[in-house]
Short mmCIF file of all heavy atoms in Angstrom, two decimals:
data_model
loop_
_atom_site.label_atom_id
_atom_site.label_comp_id
_atom_site.label_asym_id
_atom_site.label_seq_id
_atom_site.Cartn_x
_atom_site.Cartn_y
_atom_site.Cartn_z
N LYS N 30 89.93 85.58 243.61
CA LYS N 30 88.62 86.00 243.15
C LYS N 30 87.93 86.79 244.26
O LYS N 30 88.21 86.66 245.45
CB LYS N 30 87.72 84.86 242.75
CG LYS N 30 87.39 83.85 243.84
CD LYS N 30 86.59 82.67 243.30
CE LYS N 30 86.47 81.60 244.30
NZ LYS N 30 86.03 80.32 243.69
N VAL N 31 87.01 87.67 243.80
CA VAL N 31 86.19 88.44 244.73
C VAL N 31 84.80 87.92 244.61
O VAL N 31 84.23 87.71 243.52
CB VAL N 31 86.21 89.99 244.34
CG1 VAL N 31 85.18 90.75 245.13
CG2 VAL N 31 87.59 90.54 244.59
N VAL N 32 84.12 87.71 245.78
CA VAL N 32 82.72 87.30 245.84
C VAL N 32 81.96 88.59 246.17
O VAL N 32 82.14 89.18 247.20
CB VAL N 32 82.47 86.24 246.87
CG1 VAL N 32 80.97 85.90 246.93
CG2 VAL N 32 83.27 84.99 246.57
N HIS N 33 81.10 89.02 245.21
CA HIS N 33 80.25 90.21 245.38
C HIS N 33 78.84 89.77 245.84
O HIS N 33 78.24 89.00 245.09
CB HIS N 33 80.18 91.01 244.06
CG HIS N 33 79.15 92.10 244.13
ND1 HIS N 33 79.47 93.31 244.76
CD2 HIS N 33 77.91 92.19 243.68
CE1 HIS N 33 78.37 94.10 244.71
NE2 HIS N 33 77.44 93.43 244.04
N ILE N 34 78.42 90.31 246.98
CA ILE N 34 77.07 90.03 247.47
C ILE N 34 76.36 91.39 247.58
O ILE N 34 76.74 92.21 248.33
CB ILE N 34 77.07 89.30 248.82
CG1 ILE N 34 77.89 88.01 248.68
CG2 ILE N 34 75.67 89.09 249.32
CD1 ILE N 34 78.05 87.32 250.02
N PRO N 35 75.36 91.61 246.72
CA PRO N 35 74.67 92.89 246.72
C PRO N 35 73.86 93.12 247.97
O PRO N 35 73.59 92.18 248.80
CB PRO N 35 73.81 92.85 245.45
CG PRO N 35 73.60 91.42 245.24
CD PRO N 35 74.82 90.67 245.76
N ALA N 36 73.36 94.34 248.15
CA ALA N 36 72.41 94.65 249.23
C ALA N 36 71.18 93.69 249.15
O ALA N 36 70.86 93.30 248.00
CB ALA N 36 72.00 96.10 249.14
N GLY N 37 70.60 93.44 250.29
CA GLY N 37 69.40 92.53 250.27
C GLY N 37 69.64 91.13 250.68
O GLY N 37 68.78 90.32 250.64
N TYR N 38 70.90 90.85 251.07
CA TYR N 38 71.32 89.48 251.44
C TYR N 38 71.79 89.45 252.90
O TYR N 38 72.27 90.49 253.43
CB TYR N 38 72.45 88.99 250.56
CG TYR N 38 71.97 88.61 249.15
CD1 TYR N 38 71.65 89.53 248.21
CD2 TYR N 38 71.80 87.26 248.86
CE1 TYR N 38 71.20 89.18 246.96
CE2 TYR N 38 71.41 86.87 247.56
CZ TYR N 38 71.09 87.82 246.65
OH TYR N 38 70.66 87.43 245.41
N ALA N 39 71.76 88.27 253.46
CA ALA N 39 72.46 87.96 254.74
C ALA N 39 73.56 87.03 254.39
O ALA N 39 73.44 86.17 253.51
CB ALA N 39 71.48 87.33 255.74
N ASN N 40 74.70 87.16 255.10
CA ASN N 40 75.83 86.30 254.86
C ASN N 40 76.36 85.67 256.12
O ASN N 40 76.13 86.14 257.20
CB ASN N 40 76.91 87.06 254.10
CG ASN N 40 77.53 88.16 254.90
OD1 ASN N 40 78.17 87.91 255.91
ND2 ASN N 40 77.34 89.39 254.50
N ALA N 41 77.11 84.56 255.89
CA ALA N 41 77.80 83.84 256.94
C ALA N 41 79.17 83.50 256.37
O ALA N 41 79.30 83.12 255.27
CB ALA N 41 77.05 82.61 257.29
N ILE N 42 80.19 83.69 257.24
CA ILE N 42 81.56 83.47 256.83
C ILE N 42 82.08 82.30 257.63
O ILE N 42 82.15 82.31 258.86
CB ILE N 42 82.44 84.70 257.16
CG1 ILE N 42 81.82 85.98 256.58
CG2 ILE N 42 83.85 84.50 256.71
CD1 ILE N 42 81.54 86.01 255.14
N GLU N 43 82.50 81.24 256.92
CA GLU N 43 82.99 80.00 257.59
C GLU N 43 84.48 79.76 257.20
O GLU N 43 84.79 79.50 256.04
CB GLU N 43 82.15 78.80 257.15
CG GLU N 43 82.60 77.53 257.71
CD GLU N 43 81.71 76.33 257.27
OE1 GLU N 43 80.88 76.49 256.38
OE2 GLU N 43 81.95 75.22 257.77
N SER N 44 85.33 79.87 258.20
CA SER N 44 86.74 79.62 257.94
C SER N 44 86.94 78.11 257.92
O SER N 44 86.38 77.37 258.74
CB SER N 44 87.68 80.27 258.95
OG SER N 44 87.27 79.98 260.25
N LEU N 45 87.76 77.64 257.00
CA LEU N 45 88.04 76.19 256.86
C LEU N 45 89.37 75.75 257.36
O LEU N 45 89.63 74.59 257.45
CB LEU N 45 87.87 75.82 255.35
CG LEU N 45 86.54 76.16 254.76
CD1 LEU N 45 86.54 75.84 253.25
CD2 LEU N 45 85.40 75.45 255.44
N GLU N 46 90.25 76.75 257.70
CA GLU N 46 91.60 76.45 258.21
C GLU N 46 91.92 77.46 259.29
O GLU N 46 91.40 78.57 259.32
CB GLU N 46 92.63 76.65 257.06
CG GLU N 46 92.42 75.79 255.84
CD GLU N 46 93.38 76.19 254.74
OE1 GLU N 46 94.57 76.37 255.03
OE2 GLU N 46 92.90 76.33 253.59
N SER N 47 92.80 77.07 260.18
CA SER N 47 93.30 77.98 261.21
C SER N 47 94.01 79.12 260.55
O SER N 47 94.66 78.96 259.52
CB SER N 47 94.27 77.27 262.14
OG SER N 47 93.59 76.28 262.95
N ASN N 48 93.92 80.32 261.19
CA ASN N 48 94.62 81.52 260.74
C ASN N 48 94.26 82.00 259.37
O ASN N 48 94.99 82.73 258.72
CB ASN N 48 96.13 81.32 260.80
CG ASN N 48 96.58 80.93 262.21
OD1 ASN N 48 96.19 81.61 263.16
ND2 ASN N 48 97.37 79.89 262.33
N SER N 49 93.05 81.62 258.87
CA SER N 49 92.54 82.12 257.63
C SER N 49 92.19 83.60 257.77
O SER N 49 91.67 84.03 258.83
CB SER N 49 91.33 81.34 257.14
OG SER N 49 91.72 80.03 256.80
N LYS N 50 92.39 84.43 256.74
CA LYS N 50 92.05 85.84 256.76
C LYS N 50 91.30 86.20 255.50
O LYS N 50 91.68 85.82 254.40
CB LYS N 50 93.26 86.69 256.88
CG LYS N 50 94.00 86.54 258.21
CD LYS N 50 95.11 87.62 258.36
CE LYS N 50 95.90 87.46 259.61
NZ LYS N 50 95.19 87.29 260.83
N LEU N 51 90.23 86.96 255.71
CA LEU N 51 89.35 87.42 254.63
C LEU N 51 89.18 88.89 254.71
O LEU N 51 88.98 89.45 255.79
CB LEU N 51 87.96 86.72 254.85
CG LEU N 51 86.93 86.89 253.74
CD1 LEU N 51 87.25 85.99 252.55
CD2 LEU N 51 85.55 86.51 254.30
N ILE N 52 89.30 89.56 253.53
CA ILE N 52 89.10 91.03 253.53
C ILE N 52 87.72 91.26 252.99
O ILE N 52 87.24 90.62 252.07
CB ILE N 52 90.18 91.76 252.73
CG1 ILE N 52 90.08 93.27 252.96
CG2 ILE N 52 90.20 91.43 251.26
CD1 ILE N 52 91.29 94.04 252.51
N SER N 53 86.98 92.18 253.67
CA SER N 53 85.59 92.51 253.31
C SER N 53 85.58 94.00 252.92
O SER N 53 85.91 94.81 253.76
CB SER N 53 84.68 92.23 254.44
OG SER N 53 83.39 92.75 254.17
N PHE N 54 85.21 94.28 251.68
CA PHE N 54 85.05 95.68 251.19
C PHE N 54 83.58 96.01 251.29
O PHE N 54 82.78 95.29 250.71
CB PHE N 54 85.57 95.79 249.78
CG PHE N 54 87.02 95.49 249.62
CD1 PHE N 54 87.40 94.30 249.07
CD2 PHE N 54 87.99 96.40 249.99
CE1 PHE N 54 88.77 94.00 248.89
CE2 PHE N 54 89.33 96.11 249.81
CZ PHE N 54 89.72 94.90 249.27
N SER N 55 83.24 97.15 251.90
CA SER N 55 81.85 97.56 252.10
C SER N 55 81.53 98.80 251.33
O SER N 55 82.37 99.72 251.22
CB SER N 55 81.50 97.76 253.57
OG SER N 55 81.70 96.58 254.27
N THR N 56 80.27 98.94 250.84
CA THR N 56 79.90 100.10 250.09
C THR N 56 79.17 101.18 250.87
O THR N 56 78.92 102.27 250.35
CB THR N 56 79.01 99.68 248.90
OG1 THR N 56 77.83 99.05 249.41
CG2 THR N 56 79.72 98.77 247.94
N LEU N 57 78.80 100.87 252.11
CA LEU N 57 78.02 101.82 252.90
C LEU N 57 78.93 102.61 253.84
O LEU N 57 79.76 101.98 254.54
CB LEU N 57 76.94 101.04 253.73
CG LEU N 57 75.85 101.86 254.30
CD1 LEU N 57 74.98 102.46 253.22
CD2 LEU N 57 75.02 100.97 255.23
N PRO N 58 78.76 103.92 253.90
CA PRO N 58 79.63 104.70 254.88
C PRO N 58 79.29 104.29 256.30
O PRO N 58 78.14 103.89 256.64
CB PRO N 58 79.18 106.14 254.65
CG PRO N 58 78.52 106.16 253.33
CD PRO N 58 77.95 104.78 253.09
N LEU N 59 80.27 104.35 257.17
CA LEU N 59 80.10 103.91 258.54
C LEU N 59 78.97 104.65 259.26
O LEU N 59 78.30 104.08 260.11
CB LEU N 59 81.44 104.16 259.32
CG LEU N 59 81.59 103.47 260.68
CD1 LEU N 59 81.39 102.00 260.58
CD2 LEU N 59 82.96 103.79 261.20
N THR N 60 78.72 105.89 258.87
CA THR N 60 77.63 106.70 259.51
C THR N 60 76.25 106.10 259.23
O THR N 60 75.32 106.43 259.91
CB THR N 60 77.68 108.16 259.03
OG1 THR N 60 77.62 108.16 257.59
CG2 THR N 60 79.02 108.82 259.45
N LYS N 61 76.12 105.23 258.25
CA LYS N 61 74.81 104.64 257.85
C LYS N 61 74.63 103.23 258.30
O LYS N 61 73.58 102.64 258.13
CB LYS N 61 74.67 104.71 256.35
CG LYS N 61 74.79 106.03 255.71
CD LYS N 61 73.51 106.73 255.66
CE LYS N 61 73.64 108.05 254.91
NZ LYS N 61 72.49 108.83 254.93
N VAL N 62 75.62 102.65 258.98
CA VAL N 62 75.62 101.23 259.29
C VAL N 62 74.48 100.91 260.28
O VAL N 62 73.81 99.87 260.14
CB VAL N 62 76.98 100.77 259.90
CG1 VAL N 62 76.87 99.42 260.54
CG2 VAL N 62 78.01 100.78 258.80
#
């Protein structure tokens, strides 16, 4: 599943196991970060 968090939020990522990997897709161009 994909968790979509719209603009206007703050997030925290908590890994629950060693060597866990999460991919994050962003909608903002790097020039605007």
Side-chain angles (χ1 to χ4, degrees):
K30 64 185 168 192
V31 171
V32 177
H33 171 79
I34 303 174
Y38 283 77
N40 65 67
I42 308 304
E43 179 180 6
S44 54
L45 302 177
E46 303 172 45
S47 293
N48 302 312
S49 293
K50 292 190 185 310
L51 187 75
I52 191 165
S53 170
F54 299 102
S55 297
T56 60
L57 195 66
L59 194 56
T60 56
K61 304 272 187 187
V62 168

